Amino acid sequence: MTGVRVEIVRSACAGYANCLDVAPEIFDLDEHDVAVVSAGEFPAEQRQLLEDAAHRCPAKAIIVTDAD
Amino acid sequence: MTDSVDPLMVDPDNGIISREIFVSQDVFDTELEQIFARAWLFIGHESQIPEPGDFFNSRMGTESVLLTRDSEGEIHVLLNSCRHRGMKVCRYDEGNTHDFVCPYHGWSYSTDGTLVSVAGELFGVPHYRAGYDRKLDRSQWGLIPTAQMVNHHGLIFATWDPDTPSFDEYTGGFRFWLDNLAANTAGERGRVKALRGVQKWRIKANWKFVSENFLGDNYHGPTSHSSVDAVGLGPGGKEAPTRHGDNKKPRSIGSTSFFDLGHGGVTTAGYAWGYPEFEDENMTTYFQQRWQQREQRLEAEDRPIGGLGPSTMFPSMSLHAGAFPRALIVAHPVGPTETEVWRWFLVDDDLPEDIESWLRRWYLRYSGPAGLVEQDDMENWDYATDASTGTIARRYPYNYQLGLGMASPSEVLDDAVESSYLMTEENARNYYRRWAALMSGASWAEIDQARGGK
Amino acid sequence: MTTASTSSVDARLATLLLKDELTERLHLEADLLDEQRFDEWLELLDDDVTYTMPLRLNVHHSDADRASTKEGDVSWFEDDLSTLRMRVEQLATGEHWAEEPRSRVSHLVSNIRLLSVAPNPMAPEMVEVGCRFLVYRNRVADETDIWVGRRTDTWRADTQGHWRLLRRHLLLDQGVLMAKNLTVLF
């Protein structure tokens, strides 16, 4: 199984913080209240969690793709 | 705003109704509070939102509401106003989305029952951590849902008042008219669809003129609509010159009104309207067959054969329950002398394409602002309103004495009376009885008690 | 070279004359309607005429295709010759209260363009003409309506070579119609 890549579109993030509710160990907000992610790639087991976070983002600022 | 209305304004027993109730701003403001915030109102048809995430921007009284279908397929009716600063969270007439993001400060609301516990709940607030320290209780700040909602064979209704009697109790025997509206021409309920597109237009008339017109006003037809019968607008053309095409059938003996409930229809529950004779014989054959199926089905299901033709569900939804035409109209109040009218058109969901197309074109030449019939109604409603606004005019009430004392209990329905003659204002008198009961500010329990309980 | 350039000038000249002819047609039509010469107006219509005005909807800009209703949907009107004749006949009854007394109406047409000519401008048989319309109505005393929008017509030459209206598609720039009715012919 391939890993998962997560990217934050910083210009889109509005600091809703829904991603922190879903996966506090993966997402955080920086000093500008913009989401940051703890790593670039995650193992396949975390795909569902990450997709939930992306789905919960009202600003559609979280992009989940397959790792190469 | 006044809390209640002077009972002298409405005297149905003597057929006297004050013009004030059609022109006064105070009365109008009270109506919004006592009627539109309490009554069951029509929202839309299920076929307008077939897929998860679909929404239709509707209206209750003067306010915008969203009819939505969430990802679980559940239907909701939500006030279209952000809880933060009131901005409309959606200004589209229809569409599909998984959330409504307010364009003002970005609060976002779910249509999706899986994202949050209840669809319409607030699920995203910008700067939720830094600005609110994650302390805002989002579950308390969702879009306002209606207190009650019902899906009656595809027709969606809602009310803001948790104490309003159940939909079945509120509609009473009028449900047979609604059943006909929701049924195809073979009588199967839930087998109609709304054609895409709702006609919306503004008239300079009090909203009650619209309701009264369809409620049971057979009296206006020969005068208001003389020009359409002359040109052969009906399905039968000039050879069968009535606008509904029912000239070869016996006329209804009278109209029906629901004494305590305010609804009314221009025909009776026992009267089968009958299919028209069409110019095109194939259509006559088709509908003749459907009508026979309908008769058999209704008999088997113990439903009355009638309840077709123009009618009004109190307070502001009017309908043509039969197929010629089959349409519904909602009179949304804007001000005492201005109304926004919405018109939906319904067809059987399984019609042959050419018949659906014929019906659609016929509906459009009958109803709506370009309809040959309806155009003349609006001329009358507007100038009747206009000529009732004056100081002198307002001193003199309208006359509602047609058919006074000429109604008797229905043999088919236990909560209705039928007039003994086609032309009557019995329905209007009972409509304003209901209107006055609600406008008095009485609670539902008090209103129910005044009816003698159930 | 010379031949080609002459024919190109001829084609442009033919297009120009055609545009003038159809512009004249639109202006004549406006006069007939505004002077209430409705029977003469009906003479300008092809037997197969379709005359429609869809509803306009507010939808997301990426959904532009759904911003007006389509064939098969509800519209303001969807007429053929028999319905248009009925409208004219209704006006003549003297009992069509919405137009009795008659309204005062002016049709303005502008931005006229030939959108397509078939088979060619030298021997045109079918022409698609685009324009904007502004229809002004004043009625009884102070009742006034202004309708503005975009119109696409198809005109077809009859056997005598006269232009007859085969299709009129009107896009009114209003979501909620701000008039009580549409008794006016567009």
Side-chain angles (χ1 to χ4, degrees):
Chain A
M1 277 168 79
T2 49
V4 188
R5 174 169 296 161
V6 179
E7 201 186 321
I8 304 284
V9 183
R10 288 184 59 85
S11 59
C13 176
Y16 284 95
N18 287 4
C19 52
L20 275 71
D21 281 354
V22 179
E25 68 284 7
I26 293 175
F27 296 97
D28 199 359
L29 294 182
D30 67 12
E31 69 277 18
H32 306 292
D33 228 11
V34 172
V36 289
V37 61
S38 62
E41 273 186 35
F42 296 88
E45 306 80 74
Q46 285 184 293
R47 172 182 291 274
Q48 190 55 52
L49 187 67
L50 293 162
E51 282 180 351
D52 281 354
H55 183 51
R56 283 282 308 262
C57 176
K60 319 282 186 290
I62 301 170
I63 296 168
V64 180
T65 50
D66 288 338
D68 297 329
Chain B
M1 193 195 81
T2 50
D3 291 337
S4 63
V5 158
D6 180 354
L8 292 178
M9 281 191 184
V10 173
D11 181 6
D13 290 345
N14 294 302
I16 299 291
I17 311 257
S18 167
R19 297 189 190 215
E20 283 296 325
I21 77 164
F22 298 92
V23 296
S24 146
Q25 184 70 48
D26 270 359
V27 171
F28 178 83
D29 291 343
T30 307
E31 286 177 330
L32 296 183
E33 187 74 29
Q34 301 295 356
I35 293 180
F36 288 95
R38 298 210 279 170
W40 280 98
L41 302 174
F42 179 75
I43 309 296
H45 192 267
E46 193 177 0
S47 62
Q48 295 179 274
I49 48 160
E51 302 297 329
D54 283 352
F55 66 87
F56 167 66
N57 208 325
S58 190
R59 180 169 166 140
M60 294 173 76
T62 56
E63 294 171 276
S64 173
V65 296
L66 297 165
L67 173 65
T68 69
R69 186 185 291 275
D70 71 21
S71 62
E72 308 286 279
E74 294 297 314
I75 295 173
H76 306 271
V77 182
L78 307 163
L79 188 67
N80 183 12
S81 180
C82 183
R83 292 295 301 282
H84 177 244
R85 279 299 175 282
M87 174 62 187
K88 283 188 174 180
V89 297
C90 177
R91 288 160 298 144
Y92 302 115
D93 293 321
E94 59 173 41
N96 184 284
T97 187
H98 96 298
D99 54 19
F100 296 110
V101 181
C102 178
Y104 198 172
H105 300 89
W107 282 29
S108 75
Y109 302 88
S110 176
T111 65
D112 188 333
T114 61
L115 271 179
V116 290
S117 57
V118 182
E121 207 172 89
L122 184 61
F123 92 94
V125 177
H127 304 280
Y128 181 62
R129 191 196 63 167
Y132 291 94
D133 197 21
R134 304 182 76 169
K135 284 177 180 154
L136 177 70
D137 182 358
R138 289 184 292 194
S139 70
Q140 295 303 303
W141 293 94
L143 294 177
I144 306 296
T146 54
Q148 301 183 63
M149 193 204 70
V150 70
N151 180 351
H152 185 79
H153 304 295
L155 305 166
I156 314 290
F157 297 86
T159 171
W160 295 113
D161 186 352
D163 297 327
T164 302
S166 73
F167 185 73
D168 284 349
E169 210 178 307
Y170 181 94
T171 51
F174 189 73
R175 73 177 172 280
F176 295 119
W177 274 256
L178 296 173
D179 283 2
N180 287 329
L181 179 67
N184 64 14
T185 46
E188 282 175 274
R189 287 173 294 195
R191 294 298 306 275
V192 295
K193 62 177 182 184
L195 293 174
R196 178 169 179 256
V198 177
Q199 292 181 334
K200 303 174 184 176
W201 74 103
R202 292 283 179 101
I203 58 175
K204 296 280 193 302
N206 184 272
W207 64 273
K208 293 186 290 299
F209 274 100
V210 186
S211 295
E212 237 193 74
N213 185 76
F214 298 96
L215 173 71
D217 186 0
N218 279 320
Y219 198 32
H220 84 290
T223 312
S224 291
H225 301 308
S226 56
S227 66
V228 288
D229 289 346
V231 303
L233 170 98
K238 285 193 171 168
E239 296 307 306
T242 78
R243 60 189 179 279
H244 300 290
D246 59 334
N247 65 318
K248 292 182 182 162
K249 306 287 156 195
R251 298 292 297 181
S252 162
I253 52 146
S255 64
T256 306
S257 98
F258 295 85
F259 187 76
D260 290 313
L261 301 175
H263 323 303
V266 305
T267 58
T268 60
Y271 171 69
W273 191 283
Y275 57 90
E277 307 277 339
F278 292 87
E279 275 182 303
D280 176 354
E281 263 180 52
N282 292 331
M283 289 196 45
T284 307
T285 311
Y286 179 82
F287 281 111
Q288 195 166 0
Q289 237 173 34
R290 301 283 279 187
W291 240 256
Q292 278 166 4
Q293 291 166 3
R294 177 177 183 272
E295 278 179 31
Q296 287 161 5
R297 179 180 303 277
L298 265 56
E299 198 182 332
E301 294 176 4
D302 200 24
R303 289 157 56 193
I305 194 77
L308 296 160
S311 58
T312 296
M313 175 176 144
F314 185 89
S316 56
M317 175 210 193
S318 297
L319 45 134
H320 285 88
F324 309 102
R326 192 210 320 264
L328 66 93
I329 186 168
V330 176
H332 296 296
V334 175
T337 59
E338 187 168 9
T339 300
E340 188 167 306
V341 184
W342 287 21
R343 223 185 217 309
W344 283 256
F345 295 97
L346 305 176
V347 291
D348 295 5
D349 67 6
D350 58 350
L351 282 180
E353 210 181 307
D354 57 329
I355 293 185
E356 180 179 314
S357 161
W358 187 93
L359 284 177
R360 182 187 67 252
R361 284 180 284 120
W362 188 70
Y363 290 174
L364 293 170
R365 86 177 188 209
Y366 189 104
S367 301
L372 275 72
V373 180
E374 204 143 70
Q375 291 175 347
D376 289 324
D377 288 322
M378 293 169 303
E379 180 80 359
N380 287 324
W381 305 337
D382 278 24
Y383 282 104
T385 300
D386 183 55
S388 297
T389 52
T391 306
I392 304 302
R394 287 162 84 150
R395 293 177 189 167
Y396 297 91
Y398 290 154
N399 180 298
Y400 285 81
Q401 295 173 339
L402 180 66
L404 197 62
M406 290 167 68
S408 50
S410 162
E411 286 174 15
V412 185
L413 305 166
D414 56 15
D415 54 358
V417 292
E418 288 172 4
S419 62
S420 58
Y421 182 60
L422 180 71
M423 310 277 184
T424 181
E425 280 156 359
E426 184 70 12
N427 298 13
R429 288 189 290 273
N430 288 335
Y431 177 89
Y432 289 110
R433 258 191 198 99
R434 178 65 152 177
W435 182 90
L438 279 161
M439 289 290 280
S440 72
S443 69
W444 286 106
E446 288 163 340
I447 291 170
D448 194 40
Q449 203 165 26
R451 290 177 61 194
K454 286 183 293 81
Chain C
M1 183 69 195
T2 314
T3 318
S5 128
T6 307
S7 77
S8 146
V9 169
D10 284 351
R12 288 175 62 192
L13 202 56
T15 305
L16 200 62
L17 289 171
L18 182 63
K19 185 179 171 186
D20 184 64
E21 199 179 325
L22 283 151
T23 302
E24 182 60 22
R25 200 68 173 173
L26 301 188
H27 290 166
L28 165 70
E29 207 198 342
D31 278 353
L32 292 178
L33 289 171
D34 296 345
E35 291 162 17
Q36 302 179 14
R37 292 154 65 189
F38 300 116
D39 289 325
E40 290 171 69
W41 179 74
L42 286 174
E43 292 300 312
L44 302 183
L45 308 181
D46 191 285
D47 288 348
D48 299 321
V49 67
T50 61
Y51 168 89
T52 56
M53 184 188 275
L55 308 182
R56 306 293 293 277
L57 281 91
N58 297 297
V59 294
H60 192 266
H61 80 275
S62 62
D63 222 3
D65 188 45
R66 294 177 62 81
S68 61
T69 54
K70 299 280 173 292
E71 199 178 339
D73 298 340
V74 176
S75 54
W76 291 118
F77 47 77
E78 185 181 345
D79 287 4
D80 57 10
L81 187 59
S82 71
T83 304
L84 287 167
R85 278 198 178 128
M86 223 176 256
R87 291 188 191 281
V88 169
E89 223 180 309
Q90 189 187 20
L91 285 164
T93 61
E95 295 177 352
H96 183 18
W97 313 118
E99 280 298 329
E100 195 58 50
R102 293 270 172 90
S103 303
R104 290 162 285 277
V105 178
S106 276
H107 286 72
L108 308 183
V109 289
S110 71
N111 306 33
I112 298 168
R113 293 180 66 212
L114 300 189
L115 301 176
S116 71
V117 180
N120 64 64
M122 310 293 272
E125 290 167 14
M126 191 100 88
V127 186
E128 197 182 20
V129 185
C131 70
R132 297 290 191 286
F133 62 88
L134 188 156
V135 179
Y136 170 91
R137 169 173 75 178
N138 174 263
R139 154 156 205 77
V140 184
D142 56 359
E143 203 184 339
T144 302
D145 295 296
I146 296 171
W147 296 286
V148 181
R150 179 184 291 248
R151 196 169 95 182
T152 311
D153 290 346
T154 304
W155 292 83
R156 178 159 77 177
D158 68 12
T159 47
Q160 277 91 47
H162 297 130
W163 292 111
R164 291 192 188 269
L165 183 66
L166 179 63
R167 176 179 178 270
R168 171 157 294 166
H169 187 261
L170 296 136
L171 277 180
L172 176 68
D173 287 339
Q174 283 184 7
V176 173
L177 180 71
M178 296 307 285
K180 70 177 176 196
N181 63 27
L182 293 168
T183 50
V184 168
L185 292 159
F186 284 82

